[in-house]
CSV table of all heavy atoms in Angstrom, one decimal:
chain,number,residue,atom,x,y,z
A,26,LEU,N,-5.6,-13.4,28.9
A,26,LEU,CA,-5.1,-14.5,29.7
A,26,LEU,C,-6.2,-15.5,30.0
A,26,LEU,O,-6.0,-16.7,30.0
A,26,LEU,CB,-4.7,-13.9,31.0
A,26,LEU,CG,-4.2,-14.8,32.1
A,26,LEU,CD1,-3.0,-15.5,31.6
A,26,LEU,CD2,-3.9,-14.0,33.5
A,27,ILE,N,-7.4,-15.1,30.1
A,27,ILE,CA,-8.6,-15.9,30.4
A,27,ILE,C,-8.7,-17.0,29.1
A,27,ILE,O,-9.0,-18.2,29.3
A,27,ILE,CB,-9.8,-15.2,30.6
A,27,ILE,CG1,-9.7,-14.5,32.0
A,27,ILE,CG2,-11.1,-16.0,30.7
A,27,ILE,CD1,-10.9,-13.5,32.3
A,28,LEU,N,-8.6,-16.4,27.9
A,28,LEU,CA,-8.8,-17.3,26.7
A,28,LEU,C,-7.6,-18.2,26.6
A,28,LEU,O,-7.9,-19.4,26.2
A,28,LEU,CB,-8.7,-16.3,25.4
A,28,LEU,CG,-10.0,-15.4,25.3
A,28,LEU,CD1,-9.9,-14.5,24.1
A,28,LEU,CD2,-11.1,-16.2,25.2
A,29,LEU,N,-6.4,-17.8,27.1
A,29,LEU,CA,-5.2,-18.8,27.0
A,29,LEU,C,-5.5,-20.0,27.9
A,29,LEU,O,-5.0,-21.0,27.7
A,29,LEU,CB,-4.0,-18.1,27.3
A,29,LEU,CG,-3.6,-17.0,26.4
A,29,LEU,CD1,-2.2,-16.4,26.8
A,29,LEU,CD2,-3.2,-17.7,24.9
A,30,VAL,N,-6.2,-19.8,28.9
A,30,VAL,CA,-6.4,-20.8,30.0
A,30,VAL,C,-7.7,-21.6,29.5
A,30,VAL,O,-7.8,-22.8,29.6
A,30,VAL,CB,-6.7,-20.3,31.3
A,30,VAL,CG1,-7.0,-21.4,32.3
A,30,VAL,CG2,-5.3,-19.6,31.8
A,31,ALA,N,-8.8,-21.0,29.0
A,31,ALA,CA,-10.0,-21.7,28.8
A,31,ALA,C,-10.0,-22.5,27.4
A,31,ALA,O,-10.7,-23.6,27.4
A,31,ALA,CB,-11.2,-20.7,28.6
A,32,ILE,N,-9.3,-22.1,26.5
A,32,ILE,CA,-9.4,-22.8,25.2
A,32,ILE,C,-8.8,-24.2,25.3
A,32,ILE,O,-9.4,-25.2,24.9
A,32,ILE,CB,-8.6,-22.0,24.0
A,32,ILE,CG1,-9.5,-20.7,23.8
A,32,ILE,CG2,-8.4,-22.8,22.7
A,32,ILE,CD1,-8.7,-19.8,22.7
A,33,PRO,N,-7.6,-24.4,25.9
A,33,PRO,CA,-7.0,-25.8,26.1
A,33,PRO,C,-7.9,-26.6,26.9
A,33,PRO,O,-8.1,-27.9,26.6
A,33,PRO,CB,-5.6,-25.5,26.8
A,33,PRO,CG,-5.4,-24.3,26.4
A,33,PRO,CD,-6.7,-23.4,26.4
A,34,LEU,N,-8.7,-26.2,27.7
A,34,LEU,CA,-9.5,-26.9,28.7
A,34,LEU,C,-10.9,-27.3,27.9
A,34,LEU,O,-11.2,-28.5,27.9
A,34,LEU,CB,-10.2,-26.1,29.8
A,34,LEU,CG,-9.0,-25.8,30.9
A,34,LEU,CD1,-9.6,-25.0,32.1
A,34,LEU,CD2,-8.5,-27.2,31.5
A,35,LEU,N,-11.4,-26.5,27.0
A,35,LEU,CA,-12.5,-26.9,26.1
A,35,LEU,C,-12.0,-27.9,25.1
A,35,LEU,O,-12.7,-28.9,24.9
A,35,LEU,CB,-13.0,-25.7,25.3
A,35,LEU,CG,-13.7,-24.6,26.2
A,35,LEU,CD1,-14.1,-23.3,25.3
A,35,LEU,CD2,-14.9,-25.2,26.9
A,36,VAL,N,-10.9,-27.8,24.6
A,36,VAL,CA,-10.4,-28.8,23.6
A,36,VAL,C,-10.2,-30.2,24.4
A,36,VAL,O,-10.7,-31.2,23.9
A,36,VAL,CB,-9.0,-28.4,23.1
A,36,VAL,CG1,-8.4,-29.5,22.2
A,36,VAL,CG2,-9.2,-27.2,22.2
A,37,HIS,N,-9.7,-30.2,25.5
A,37,HIS,CA,-9.5,-31.4,26.3
A,37,HIS,C,-10.8,-32.1,26.7
A,37,HIS,O,-11.0,-33.4,26.6
A,37,HIS,CB,-8.7,-31.1,27.6
A,37,HIS,CG,-8.8,-32.3,28.6
A,37,HIS,ND1,-8.0,-33.5,28.3
A,37,HIS,CD2,-9.4,-32.4,29.7
A,37,HIS,CE1,-8.1,-34.2,29.2
A,37,HIS,NE2,-9.0,-33.8,30.2
A,38,THR,N,-12.0,-31.3,27.0
A,38,THR,CA,-13.3,-31.7,27.3
A,38,THR,C,-13.8,-32.5,26.0
A,38,THR,O,-14.5,-33.5,26.2
A,38,THR,CB,-14.2,-30.7,27.9
A,38,THR,OG1,-13.4,-30.1,28.9
A,38,THR,CG2,-15.5,-31.2,28.3
A,39,THR,N,-13.7,-31.7,24.9
A,39,THR,CA,-14.3,-32.3,23.7
A,39,THR,C,-13.7,-33.6,23.4
A,39,THR,O,-14.3,-34.6,22.9
A,39,THR,CB,-14.1,-31.3,22.6
A,39,THR,OG1,-14.5,-30.2,22.9
A,39,THR,CG2,-14.7,-31.8,21.3
A,40,LYS,N,-12.3,-33.8,23.5
A,40,LYS,CA,-11.7,-35.2,23.3
A,40,LYS,C,-11.8,-36.2,24.2
A,40,LYS,O,-11.5,-37.3,24.1
A,40,LYS,CB,-10.1,-34.7,23.0
A,40,LYS,CG,-10.0,-33.9,21.7
A,40,LYS,CD,-8.4,-33.7,21.6
A,40,LYS,CE,-8.2,-32.8,20.3
A,40,LYS,NZ,-6.8,-32.7,20.2
A,41,GLY,N,-12.3,-35.7,25.5
A,41,GLY,CA,-12.4,-36.8,26.6
A,41,GLY,C,-13.3,-37.9,26.2
A,41,GLY,O,-13.0,-39.0,26.6
A,42,GLY,N,-14.4,-37.7,25.4
A,42,GLY,CA,-15.3,-38.9,25.2
A,42,GLY,C,-14.7,-39.9,24.3
A,42,GLY,O,-15.0,-41.0,24.2
A,43,THR,N,-13.7,-39.5,23.4
A,43,THR,CA,-13.2,-40.4,22.5
A,43,THR,C,-11.9,-41.0,22.9
A,43,THR,O,-11.4,-42.0,22.3
A,43,THR,CB,-12.9,-39.7,21.1
A,43,THR,OG1,-11.9,-38.7,21.5
A,43,THR,CG2,-14.1,-39.1,20.6
A,44,THR,N,-11.3,-40.6,24.1
A,44,THR,CA,-10.0,-41.2,24.5
A,44,THR,C,-10.1,-41.8,25.9
A,44,THR,O,-9.3,-42.1,26.7
A,44,THR,CB,-9.0,-40.1,24.7
A,44,THR,OG1,-9.5,-39.1,25.5
A,44,THR,CG2,-8.7,-39.5,23.3
A,45,ARG,N,-11.4,-42.3,26.3
A,45,ARG,CA,-11.6,-43.0,27.7
A,45,ARG,C,-10.9,-44.3,27.6
A,45,ARG,O,-10.6,-44.9,28.7
A,45,ARG,CB,-12.9,-43.1,28.0
A,45,ARG,CG,-13.6,-41.7,28.3
A,45,ARG,CD,-15.0,-41.9,28.7
A,45,ARG,NE,-15.7,-40.6,29.0
A,45,ARG,CZ,-15.6,-40.0,30.2
A,45,ARG,NH1,-15.0,-40.4,31.1
A,45,ARG,NH2,-16.2,-38.7,30.4
A,46,SER,N,-10.7,-45.0,26.5
A,46,SER,CA,-10.0,-46.3,26.5
A,46,SER,C,-8.6,-46.3,26.6
A,46,SER,O,-8.0,-47.3,26.7
A,46,SER,CB,-10.5,-47.0,25.2
A,46,SER,OG,-10.0,-46.3,24.0
A,47,THR,N,-7.9,-45.1,26.6
A,47,THR,CA,-6.5,-45.2,26.8
A,47,THR,C,-6.1,-45.4,28.2
A,47,THR,O,-7.0,-45.2,29.1
A,47,THR,CB,-5.9,-43.8,26.3
A,47,THR,OG1,-6.5,-42.7,27.1
A,47,THR,CG2,-6.3,-43.5,24.9
A,48,ALA,N,-4.9,-45.7,28.5
A,48,ALA,CA,-4.4,-46.1,29.7
A,48,ALA,C,-3.8,-45.0,30.5
A,48,ALA,O,-3.3,-45.2,31.7
A,48,ALA,CB,-3.4,-47.3,29.7
A,49,SER,N,-3.9,-43.8,30.0
A,49,SER,CA,-3.3,-42.6,30.8
A,49,SER,C,-4.3,-41.4,30.6
A,49,SER,O,-5.1,-41.3,29.6
A,49,SER,CB,-2.0,-42.2,30.0
A,49,SER,OG,-1.1,-43.3,30.1
A,50,HIS,N,-4.1,-40.6,31.6
A,50,HIS,CA,-5.0,-39.4,31.7
A,50,HIS,C,-4.1,-38.2,31.5
A,50,HIS,O,-3.2,-38.1,32.3
A,50,HIS,CB,-5.8,-39.5,33.0
A,50,HIS,CG,-6.4,-38.1,33.3
A,50,HIS,ND1,-7.5,-37.8,32.5
A,50,HIS,CD2,-6.2,-37.2,34.1
A,50,HIS,CE1,-8.0,-36.6,33.0
A,50,HIS,NE2,-7.2,-36.2,34.0
A,51,TYR,N,-4.4,-37.2,30.6
A,51,TYR,CA,-3.6,-36.0,30.4
A,51,TYR,C,-4.3,-34.8,30.7
A,51,TYR,O,-5.6,-34.7,30.5
A,51,TYR,CB,-3.1,-36.0,29.0
A,51,TYR,CG,-2.2,-37.1,28.5
A,51,TYR,CD1,-2.8,-38.4,28.0
A,51,TYR,CD2,-0.9,-37.1,28.6
A,51,TYR,CE1,-2.1,-39.4,27.5
A,51,TYR,CE2,-0.1,-38.2,28.3
A,51,TYR,CZ,-0.7,-39.3,27.8
A,51,TYR,OH,0.1,-40.4,27.4
A,52,GLU,N,-3.7,-33.9,31.3
A,52,GLU,CA,-4.3,-32.7,31.8
A,52,GLU,C,-3.5,-31.5,31.4
A,52,GLU,O,-2.2,-31.5,31.6
A,52,GLU,CB,-4.7,-32.6,33.2
A,52,GLU,CG,-5.3,-31.3,33.7
A,52,GLU,CD,-5.5,-31.5,35.2
A,52,GLU,OE1,-5.1,-32.5,35.8
A,52,GLU,OE2,-6.0,-30.5,35.8
């Protein structure tokens, strides 16, 4: 259960630096 929650958050953090120019924020 911990892995199911942590993996999507790590992926989102990695992609955050390349998608700051978009007009929407996804979580």
Side-chain angles (χ1 to χ4, degrees):
L26 180 60
I27 295 175
L28 291 175
L29 290 176
V30 174
I32 291 174
L34 291 177
L35 291 175
V36 173
H37 171 69
T38 304
T39 304
K40 295 181 178 181
T43 59
T44 59
R45 291 184 180 272
S46 60
T47 61
S49 300
H50 169 72
Y51 298 91
E52 181 180 354

